[in-house]
Amino acid sequence: MSTSLSNLTVEKVLSSKIGVAIILVSLAALSIMGRVWMGEIPNVQPSTVLIIIASLLWGARYGLAVAVATVLGSNLFLGHGPWTYMQIVAWGSIALFAGLLHRRYKNIPFFVLASLAALTGYLYGLIISLPMLAGGLTAFVLYYKFGILFDGFHAAGNLAFFLLLAKPLLRLLDQQEERAA
């Protein structure tokens, strides 16, 4: 008894557009869980790196999807507030930045990508701090100055997570992408 469902394999599903959606949801879930689980260590979590990986592989719109899902999903546990919007803007900006490298990332040395991942910790902190400009330049500078240590934690965490996760995830997900083509 042969049906069309019997011909459906895991490989066929994962190599389809539905498969990419499943992988994106999985990356978002890992990002949310990682952010919540690592919540006790200020600004150290795998979210930024997972957003970068999604953007490098599939472009900015997929990275944006992981970014928005990360913020909304993790803030269900950590708390929503006015910062939620700026988190979406900050991680969304990182997704757009990484998305610019989408078609070229394989030609960029790994240590350069790792360095860029680290620098996005500082970029995130800068963007998150921008609303303080409403209080004037002095308020912004003071706020950013007192937060730079935490941006350093974010940068160090990004570097560590990129070194740990990027090669295996990029290789694995790139293989899935090639099967889909």
Side-chain angles (χ1 to χ4, degrees), residues 7-35:
N7 294 329
L8 191 64
T9 64
V10 172
E11 186 173 312
K12 285 181 184 177
V13 169
L14 288 178
S15 66
S16 67
K17 288 198 182 266
I18 293 171
V20 171
I22 291 169
I23 292 168
L24 282 173
V25 168
S26 299
L27 285 175
L30 285 172
S31 181
I32 292 165
M33 289 171 24
R35 184 165 183 243

Side-chain angles (χ1 to χ4, degrees), residues 72-131:
L72 297 178
S74 62
N75 282 358
L76 288 173
F77 299 95
L78 302 173
H80 283 284
W83 54 86
T84 300
Y85 302 107
M86 289 311 293
Q87 289 172 327
I88 291 172
V89 170
W91 269 322
S93 298
I94 291 168
L96 292 173
F97 169 70
L100 293 173
L101 305 175
H102 163 59
R103 302 217 187 274
R104 300 177 217 62
Y105 82 91
K106 292 180 184 176
N107 299 325
I108 301 171
F110 185 74
F111 77 91
V112 172
L113 291 174
S115 299
L116 290 173
L119 289 174
T120 60
Y122 292 102
L123 176 62
Y124 180 91
L126 177 67
I127 294 169
I128 284 288
S129 302
L130 289 176

Side-chain angles (χ1 to χ4, degrees), residues 43-49 52 91 94 114 116-122 124 152-164:
N43 290 15
V44 176
Q45 36 59 33
S47 301
T48 307
V49 168
I52 290 170
W91 269 322
I94 291 168
L116 290 173
L119 289 174
T120 60
Y122 292 102
Y124 180 91
F153 293 159
H154 193 165
N158 286 355
L159 179 61
F161 281 114
F162 196 85
L163 293 174
L164 182 69

Side-chain angles (χ1 to χ4, degrees), residues 51-59 98 101-102 105 113 162 170:
I51 291 164
I52 290 170
I53 288 171
S55 294
L56 289 176
L57 280 170
W58 297 298
L101 305 175
H102 163 59
Y105 82 91
L113 291 174
F162 196 85
L170 287 170

Side-chain angles (χ1 to χ4, degrees), residues 137-158:
L137 186 59
T138 304
F140 170 78
V141 169
L142 283 172
Y143 183 83
Y144 189 70
K145 180 176 131 182
F146 286 113
I148 197 84
L149 175 65
F150 296 100
D151 297 340
F153 293 159
H154 193 165
N158 286 355

